[in-house]
Amino acid sequence: LILLDSLLQEMVFTKPLLCCLVQLVISLTLCRAEQEVDGEILLHVQHSFDLGQTWTDRGSISIHNTRSGASSHDQVPLLPDEKAALQEQCGVQGVYMVKLTGQQAGTDVGLHRSYTSACMMLEAGLMDLLTLNIDWRGKLIGVALGVQQAPSSRNTQQGIKLDLTPSQDNLSFKTKVVMQHMENGPVPDTAAFIQKMEEEKRKVETGEVKDNRSFLAKYWMYIVPVVLFMAINGAASPEGGGN
């Protein structure tokens, strides 16, 4: 029993060491994930002006480094009838939709869809903002479409009438790509906890800290076996007297 008590006490004081090892494993995993974040993503972009009933090619976006967000774009300018369709969506407070597929490190990134207000898209002059959500492994998990500037405070209930002349600048997308990485949660301060436990253990061993536990809390490991032994003998005694 004394040996068992000693082992239990040792397990209490070695628990912080186990926590430290777990933290080390998590840190190594995160470091490996950070190394994977620098991969390249190739995205094929399609858009829709009729709430997803039909899709047409918009072009491609290449993210050369998912950490810095460095990217290059090869997008097709809008046709005049496509911008007119976008104007019609704005007139009914509709949305402009995009659909993205592609490859990352030789694997399929899946299908991602997003949308933004057609009026906001027109008012921003086709200056859209594409936010790519990246998980802790550096993999693409989501896409969000927005605009690069906030819309003005003017009333847009009647729609926004912009110049529809077929100029290259007026019909071209000016896309900005932003990388949104998953943030790490808080990490416990295991070093301070281990130091505190070692200090308490030293004080107990040197007698600096008085043990204020009750009699049962101190000697339960000796009392319980005695009580069990007496209970078993008490239960067996009537049977022995009958014989």
Side-chain angles (χ1 to χ4, degrees):
L1 292 175
I2 296 176
L3 178 60
L4 179 60
D5 183 37
S6 301
L7 291 175
L8 290 174
Q9 292 182 1
E10 290 296 329
M11 290 177 63
V12 170
F13 288 107
T14 55
K15 184 177 180 180
L17 297 178
L18 295 177
C19 295
C20 186
L21 291 176
V22 172
Q23 182 184 3
L24 179 61
V25 172
I26 295 175
S27 300
L28 292 176
T29 303
L30 293 176
C31 291
R32 182 179 178 183
E34 290 178 355
Q35 295 176 355
E36 296 177 355
V37 166
D38 296 330
E40 184 177 13
I41 304 177
L42 303 176
L43 297 175
H44 176 64
V45 185
Q46 294 180 301
H47 53 186
S48 174
F49 306 93
D50 52 9
L51 302 179
Q53 297 181 15
T54 59
W55 297 88
T56 56
D57 289 338
R58 169 172 155 172
S60 62
I61 298 177
S62 301
I63 295 88
H64 307 296
N65 189 295
T66 55
R67 182 183 298 277
S68 63
S71 61
S72 59
H73 315 141
D74 183 15
Q75 302 186 91
V76 180
L78 281 180
L79 298 174
D81 58 342
E82 290 178 331
K83 193 161 188 180
L86 189 61
Q87 179 77 51
E88 292 178 4
Q89 283 293 324
C90 177
V92 296
Q93 298 298 301
V95 297
Y96 168 74
M97 303 180 65
V98 294
K99 179 172 64 174
L100 294 92
T101 56
Q103 299 284 324
Q104 180 180 9
T107 60
D108 189 6
V109 299
L111 176 63
H112 302 276
R113 296 186 183 186
S114 187
Y115 65 90
T116 190
S117 168
C119 292
M120 292 177 61
M121 195 70 176
L122 285 170
E123 188 170 293
L126 302 184
M127 297 176 60
D128 56 344
L129 179 67
L130 194 63
T131 303
L132 305 182
N133 298 306
I134 306 297
D135 68 2
W136 62 275
R137 300 170 301 172
K139 305 299 182 182
L140 178 66
I141 58 175
V143 174
L145 179 66
V147 295
Q148 297 184 38
Q149 62 185 34
S152 64
S153 59
R154 63 177 177 170
N155 189 357
T156 60
Q157 294 297 325
Q158 301 299 325
I160 301 174
K161 295 182 179 180
L162 299 181
D163 181 20
L164 296 182
T165 56
S167 64
Q168 185 72 11
D169 182 67
N170 186 44
L171 300 177
S172 298
F173 289 98
K174 294 162 279 290
T175 304
K176 179 180 179 181
V177 177
V178 175
M179 312 304 298
Q180 183 68 43
H181 296 280
M182 181 178 294
E183 297 182 358
N184 298 328
V187 179
D189 188 4
T190 55
F193 179 73
I194 293 174
Q195 183 178 2
K196 179 180 177 181
M197 294 298 295
E198 290 179 348
E199 182 67 18
E200 291 180 357
K201 181 180 179 180
R202 184 189 64 79
K203 290 181 179 179
V204 171
E205 291 176 349
T206 57
E208 297 180 16
V209 178
K210 184 178 179 181
D211 193 350
N212 295 322
R213 294 181 298 171
S214 64
F215 179 81
L216 291 176
K218 292 180 181 179
Y219 304 108
W220 66 268
M221 69 287 297
Y222 309 117
I223 298 174
V224 170
V226 174
V227 172
L228 291 177
F229 179 76
M230 294 177 63
I232 293 173
N233 286 342
S237 295
E239 182 180 356
N243 290 332

